[in-house]
Amino acid sequence: MFQPTGPHLSLPTASSVIDAVRDPTSVVFNLDGYQVLAACDLPLGGRRVSAVANSVEAACPDCGVVSTRVHQRTRQKVKDLGVGGKDIELVIIKPRFLCAEAACARRTFTQVTDQLPFRARCTARLKAAAVEAVLDEGMPIWRTCARYQLGWATINTAVTADALTIPAPDMVPVRALGIDEHRFARAKWFKHPETAQWCRVEPWMSTFVDADTGHILGVVDGRSSANITRWLKQRSQAWLEQLQVVAIDPSSAFRNAVRQVLPAVEISVDHWHVVRLGNQMLTEVRQRVTREVLGRRGRKEDSVWAHRMLLLRAGDRLTDAGLHRLEQVFDDEDYEQVAAAWAVKERLRALLAARDIPAVQNARIDFEMAVAAADMAETDKLAATVAKWWTEIKVFVRTQVTNARTESANTGIKQIKRTGRGFRNQKNYQSRILGTSVRQTRRRRRIPHQQGLHAQR
Ligand SMILES: [Zn+2]
């Protein structure tokens, strides 16, 4: 059976523990509270390590009376991290003490250490490594199970427990809050039990992020005003009062929720979403005009279709060759509406690139002139949206607070969903998102905090 590595196999005595110089094997193995007794290679690979608890006394967990009376020594297999590239089969031997207090209801108890808490079947360091693999490396749990020889439920419980150590959002100082939505799973169709009609359900989630650091503060179901309001109302008054700006997508539901709970806070609309509306408008115009001119959808031999991506690119960053190709499209009289729509889109981009209020007001005049010249339903609709969000656009220009970090958090969330092959349990999904985010934020804490928010006012 055991091929002992060293000559001494003695169990610890009071004097040997007090001397407290660990033998080299125990130092290398480094399991607190245990000393390595023997190690051997197993015939099918791997190693078996026997370690013995070095406590000679312990306090009863119920009455606290210290006992030195050993009732028996128990031998137990526990799982542990591999050492030197080999899997370990760890056998621990620990004393079961008799409680020294006659009046105590508990008769016996065993030693507990940080690495091997009460009833643990695997070491804390093994669990920590598994949690790290899931949350830091984005490894799916099923693969982590295989690597660390642990059960799915064990790892999932450890990951969820790690999420519970996340600081409450109220403890995180936040100056700028980002609110963003993302779809948590594919849209599903359900047959309504009463009306027998099929209804489409889109499982949306909304994330609350520190817009400066990208730290996810919370995740809630849905994207309605009520869901946002509920989360905000759960925050402490002090936390709400420190908020200066909230960055949102151009969503009326988000705006209403923030207005309701935080009437004094400024709302900044995310400029990328506004640019995207401009690009959508241009695409709609291109498709409509192509249908009108050719009586069919665009094909690759049509220059306006071939250059559809060029149209959406930033006009001021086009190469000369790119500009030349666009001019060729615009020279065609049939496509003058596309040219007008492109001009509107570029004026919108210039407007959002303004860095102070006078500049953005001038840029809006240019934008409105381009809209008037274009004189199309699509461009009028875009101008109406800009008018509706004008206050929030000005806040963006002045503060430059955007949802960029919220968006990158959402990319991280989608990555989590991909490695998890779609989550069916929403609680697991949320704990994974929060756990991953908080560890990322801890790693990049050194990011300097943006200062001078109102410098340009
Ligand atoms: Zn006791």
Side-chain angles (χ1 to χ4, degrees):
M1 262 252 327
F2 279 104
Q3 296 294 318
T5 49
H8 67 107
L9 270 166
S10 57
L11 293 170
T13 61
S15 63
S16 74
V17 173
I18 292 160
D19 288 342
V21 178
R22 290 200 293 176
D23 61 286
T25 323
S26 301
V27 171
V28 171
F29 194 61
N30 194 29
L31 185 65
D32 277 351
Y34 287 85
Q35 96 187 39
V36 176
L37 196 64
C40 64
D41 291 316
L42 294 171
L44 297 175
R47 287 174 190 151
R48 179 182 294 144
V49 174
S50 308
V52 63
N54 56 18
S55 59
V56 290
E57 57 177 32
C60 168
D62 285 359
C63 64
V65 173
V66 174
S67 169
T68 54
R69 287 178 61 202
V70 176
H71 170 63
Q72 60 175 175
R73 288 184 196 274
T74 57
R75 180 181 279 264
Q76 187 188 20
K77 262 193 209 176
V78 293
K79 290 171 179 165
D80 192 21
L81 276 178
V83 174
K86 287 212 178 187
D87 287 343
I88 289 278
E89 189 183 304
L90 175 62
V91 179
I92 55 161
I93 302 151
K94 57 181 177 182
R96 178 168 280 280
F97 293 101
L98 278 166
C99 180
E101 172 56 57
C104 179
R106 178 182 287 274
R107 266 181 28 79
T108 63
F109 58 91
T110 56
Q111 165 185 301
V112 290
T113 61
D114 288 347
Q115 282 297 327
L116 283 165
F118 184 56
R119 284 195 174 149
R121 308 297 294 181
C122 66
T123 56
R125 62 189 183 188
L126 178 66
K127 268 193 198 172
V131 170
E132 194 181 307
V134 173
L135 292 180
D136 295 349
E137 295 167 32
M139 190 186 278
I141 290 195
W142 61 268
R143 186 173 289 163
T144 318
C145 292
R147 189 200 272 187
Y148 294 105
Q149 303 290 310
L150 287 171
W152 189 93
T154 308
I155 299 180
N156 191 55
T157 310
V159 168
T160 312
D162 193 79
L164 294 179
T165 65
I166 292 169
D170 290 358
M171 307 306 287
V172 183
V174 179
R175 168 197 79 111
L177 178 72
I179 308 176
D180 200 1
E181 60 192 16
H182 79 278
R183 209 161 68 183
F184 135 81
R186 230 175 253 178
K188 289 184 185 117
W189 289 87
F190 287 103
K191 198 169 190 174
H192 197 278
E194 285 166 21
T195 62
Q197 283 205 331
W198 285 94
C199 30
R200 184 181 157 98
V201 176
E202 292 203 12
W204 287 90
M205 276 180 151
S206 303
T207 31
F208 299 84
V209 179
D210 181 338
D212 289 329
T213 64
H215 174 183
I216 300 179
L217 301 160
V219 181
V220 297
D221 295 339
R223 51 170 178 170
S224 68
S225 184
N227 294 329
I228 305 296
T229 313
R230 198 179 312 126
W231 189 87
L232 288 172
K233 281 185 176 165
Q234 285 166 358
R235 305 283 69 81
S236 68
Q237 197 55 38
W239 191 85
L240 293 176
E241 277 168 11
Q242 68 177 345
L243 290 179
Q244 296 175 18
V245 187
V246 179
I248 57 171
D249 303 348
S251 143
S252 299
F254 286 179
R255 183 164 61 177
N256 294 343
V258 177
R259 277 275 154 271
Q260 195 186 330
V261 186
L262 301 161
V265 166
E266 292 192 293
I267 301 177
S268 165
V269 70
D270 187 62
H271 65 310
W272 289 116
H273 285 86
V274 182
V275 169
R276 199 162 71 188
L277 293 177
N279 283 339
Q280 272 170 8
M281 176 278 296
L282 179 54
T283 302
E284 283 167 22
V285 170
R286 176 180 59 75
Q287 289 173 338
R288 175 177 59 75
V289 171
T290 310
R291 270 197 308 273
E292 284 170 7
V293 172
L294 303 171
R296 56 163 172 80
R297 290 179 56 178
R299 293 184 194 145
K300 66 175 177 234
E301 58 266 28
D302 310 328
S303 65
V304 71
W305 191 90
H307 296 316
R308 66 198 187 288
M309 300 315 285
L310 205 55
L311 284 167
L312 300 183
R313 237 182 264 166
D316 49 351
R317 272 178 265 148
L318 283 178
T319 58
D320 288 346
L323 269 178
H324 181 68
R325 275 183 284 157
L326 268 194
E327 276 165 8
Q328 281 179 328
V329 174
F330 295 157
D331 280 347
D332 191 335
E333 271 183 23
D334 289 339
Y335 294 111
E336 65 180 6
Q337 284 195 321
V338 178
W342 184 81
V344 170
K345 186 261 291 184
E346 285 301 316
R347 297 287 184 283
L348 178 68
R349 286 192 48 253
L351 182 154
L352 294 163
R355 284 292 175 267
D356 54 42
I357 297 301
V360 76
Q361 267 157 353
N362 284 336
R364 194 180 178 193
I365 295 169
D366 290 346
F367 170 74
E368 293 293 350
M369 279 165 66
V371 169
D375 190 25
M376 282 180 280
E378 292 91 342
T379 46
D380 288 347
K381 193 174 129 202
L382 182 69
T385 308
V386 168
K388 198 173 144 199
W389 289 90
W390 184 240
T391 310
E392 289 78 12
I393 289 174
K394 280 196 293 190
V395 172
F396 160 72
V397 167
R398 210 177 59 234
T399 63
Q400 295 293 309
V401 172
T402 75
N403 256 345
R405 286 207 177 268
T406 318
E407 293 286 327
S408 77
N410 279 351
T411 314
I413 290 167
K414 281 173 190 150
Q415 185 61 34
I416 291 168
K417 195 172 75 178
R418 207 166 297 134
T419 47
R421 299 287 180 274
F423 281 80
R424 272 178 289 179
N425 184 324
Q426 204 146 331
K427 280 273 169 299
N428 288 347
Y429 187 47
Q430 292 186 352
S431 72
R432 201 71 48 80
I433 291 167
L434 294 172
T436 303
S437 169
V438 86
R439 290 167 81 101
Q440 279 172 357
T441 317
R442 275 180 201 147
R443 277 201 299 275
R444 53 168 192 232
R445 253 296 140 75
R446 288 189 206 103
I447 291 177
H449 210 68
Q450 272 181 300
Q451 297 286 332
L453 178 65
H454 295 290
Q456 292 178 8
R457 192 176 279 223

